[in-house]
Amino acid sequence: MTRRAGQVLLALTVAIGALAGCAPADGNGSAATDPVNTGRPSVGRSIPYELYTHCGIDEARIGSTYFEAETPLSDGSGNPPEGWGNPVQRGTMTLTSGTEAVFTDDAGHEVRFRARPGADAPKRVCA
């Protein structure tokens, strides 16, 4: 592959990842096409989860349900707060009821989410 073709391919991959990642998806807040984030835990069970943080912490998709953060987190400019990974933070998601979930990670972060009844798309898509 030539250098120019490689640069174009890299740029397209990053752009697609950014657009897809801003639309939280099946399982973890990553893109719906992300096979890592397609599972929905049963109530009380934790699953590995990559929380999409690039545009701040505001929403997660678990299975086919969109959840919103009880307290959205950002640096004030639409980015994750200091100490969070960007574009994702790896951790676990635990469904605490049919409508509530908690994300935790090894860094000590905890974010509580509530289901958005009837939601079939993310609240916003960032780039």
Side-chain angles (χ1 to χ4, degrees):
M1 177 178 329
T2 68
R3 180 181 173 136
R4 176 71 178 145
Q7 290 172 335
V8 169
L9 182 58
L10 176 60
L12 286 171
T13 302
V14 168
I16 290 168
L19 289 173
C22 287
D26 292 346
N28 307 351
S30 292
T33 58
D34 185 347
V36 174
N37 301 316
T38 57
R40 180 179 171 112
S42 55
V43 173
R45 185 167 168 255
S46 299
I47 59 168
Y49 196 89
E50 289 183 356
L51 182 64
Y52 191 76
T53 61
H54 179 67
C55 300
I57 296 104
D58 186 37
E59 190 170 38
R61 185 171 173 188
I62 305 170
S64 61
T65 304
Y66 285 92
F67 287 73
E68 60 187 334
E70 287 182 358
T71 304
L73 303 171
S74 87
D75 67 355
S77 297
N79 300 301
E82 189 170 327
W84 285 82
N86 188 353
V88 298
Q89 182 76 32
R90 288 189 173 101
T92 59
M93 187 68 78
T94 304
L95 202 61
T96 57
S97 74
T99 60
E100 297 179 344
V102 177
F103 173 84
T104 56
D105 63 23
D106 290 341
H109 299 122
E110 179 178 293
V111 182
R112 296 188 172 279
F113 292 90
R114 292 188 187 269
R116 286 195 304 128
D120 60 359
K123 291 190 291 186
R124 68 185 174 101
V125 176
C126 69

